[in-house]
Amino acid sequence: MALDFTAIDFETANSSSASACSVGLVRVRDGEVVASDGWLIRPPSGHDRFFDINVSIHGITADAVAHAPSWVAQLPRLLDFIGDDLLVAHNAGFDMAVLRRACEATDAALPAIRSVCSVQLARKTYQLDSYRLPLVAAAVGFLDFAHHDALADALACAHITIDAARRAGAHDLVELAMLLGVRVPEHEPIRASLLSPA
């Protein structure tokens, strides 16, 4: 086994978990970053209002995503990047909820996916006053990144996970989770019941 996974980060337009407006993805193979990608997303209809507070955090506006691919249109690209990988995210509960709720809102199918939370890994690895992403990233030497840029956040998450595995002497992500006592939940698949809206 090798330290292979995909780090993921979403930004949202509003307080709805379905309102994905950007995604960042980073592929790790044998403990090294080998590929990355990120793009804007037009949130699903009914979840597409941009709240001022969200815009102030990530800087993405309704105009910025007006011509971006819809959730359904971009989902195959996202799933193709992930492949069969375990996903890692900083506060994975949030990002897994975005993935699932956006699929539910658009009646899009989603395969079963396993995930690991890098916040939980960090709490078991580092002694910090806060486990917010910029502070944990700084602890592993990943400095001066654009926090709340989805791709930059996913890259920081990947470096945190790689460093945690190195410190624990873990050869793969499941072993790392086991050594640190962190769960690796499997999220049930979502099956589309109707034709997916665009």
Side-chain angles (χ1 to χ4, degrees), residues 107-165:
D107 194 36
L110 182 69
I113 291 175
R114 292 189 298 164
S115 68
V116 175
C117 179
S118 60
V119 174
Q120 295 176 12
L121 297 178
R123 288 185 185 280
K124 298 294 183 75
T125 303
Y126 313 102
Q127 295 295 319
L128 302 171
D129 292 333
S130 166
Y131 293 90
R132 292 180 59 248
L133 184 60
L135 297 177
V136 183
V140 307
F142 189 76
L143 304 169
D144 300 325
F145 70 100
H147 188 31
H148 294 301
D149 173 273
L151 182 53
D153 285 0
L155 190 57
C157 175
H159 281 283
I160 290 165
T161 305
I162 292 166
D163 186 70

Side-chain angles (χ1 to χ4, degrees), residues 3-95:
L3 188 64
D4 297 348
F5 62 89
T6 292
I8 189 168
D9 183 81
F10 286 107
E11 300 296 329
T12 55
N14 56 61
S15 57
S16 166
S17 295
S19 67
C21 63
S22 73
V23 64
L25 296 156
V26 174
R27 182 179 298 129
V28 172
R29 291 292 178 267
D30 199 21
E32 299 286 340
V33 172
V34 298
S36 63
D37 204 354
W39 56 86
L40 295 175
I41 302 165
R42 185 160 35 90
S45 178
H47 303 270
D48 50 358
R49 180 180 169 200
F50 278 74
F51 287 3
D52 288 345
I53 189 169
N54 292 66
V55 174
S56 72
I57 290 169
H58 52 55
I60 302 168
T61 64
D63 287 345
V65 303
H67 301 291
S70 67
W71 177 261
V72 169
Q74 68 81 49
L75 186 59
R77 178 181 174 188
L78 186 154
L79 293 177
D80 183 62
F81 190 101
I82 294 170
D84 295 326
D85 278 3
L86 272 74
L87 291 180
V88 182
H90 206 71
N91 188 12
F94 169 82
D95 295 282

